[in-house]
Amino acid sequence: MSFLRTGRSLEYLSLGCFVDDANAHALISMENGNATFLDVPYRTRDKAVMKCALEAAKNDYKVFALQNGGECFSGSAALSRYAMYGDAHCPDGGKGGPLINEVYLLGAKCGKMLRNGLIHVSKSTVRGSSYKGSWNVPVLNGSYSWCPTDGDSRPYFEIDLAREVYLSKLFVQGKLGAANSMEKICVNYTSDSETPDGDLPCTVS
């Protein structure tokens, strides 16, 4: 199971574990003289995941990984390369294993997960109770906004993230270039995919 974690204002989501090749690593080792946050040998490094995240973020990389108990890997092409040798079982601890990368996505906010294809996008996973117009996926600062029909007495919009995540913020935006805006919002959530729509009490309003 994957979780969204936070550290020093960074957010990162575990994408799981993947096989590496000692002769041609999928990602680039960040353990070099240019590293800012990677102190002491990686096997004894405290908060190794967070420090690798900071090192990747410093270079504006989207994906990073830990291998062999803490060795930090990343790179500008990491997003397209991390799974090239296939997936693997994750060892405990979140720091990979011998030639096994535990891979993390930086800035794993819902909009980025949608745009990077980490949420399966279909009418069953991203859906509204009704649509005034066609179905699409609304993201922050995007061109599409969701509106229910005028006769919808219990309007809701739902996204199935398909995994447990830690949500630190919620942004709500009216339609760009229009006077429409949200007057009231009620948020609820569940990890039970069998819960019927509308049966959960509001936890934030």
Side-chain angles (χ1 to χ4, degrees), residues 20-27 67 81 84-85 99:
D20 200 9
D21 186 328
N23 297 315
H25 287 293
L27 310 182
Q67 181 180 133
R81 290 177 56 88
M84 62 188 297
Y85 297 123
L99 293 179

Side-chain angles (χ1 to χ4, degrees), residues 114-141:
L114 286 165
R115 283 189 286 269
N116 290 333
L118 297 173
I119 298 175
H120 174 66
V121 177
S122 71
K123 291 183 179 180
S124 64
T125 58
V126 181
R127 60 178 180 164
S129 54
S130 63
Y131 297 90
K132 183 183 287 186
S134 60
W135 174 88
N136 209 320
V137 180
V139 294
L140 202 65
N141 297 321

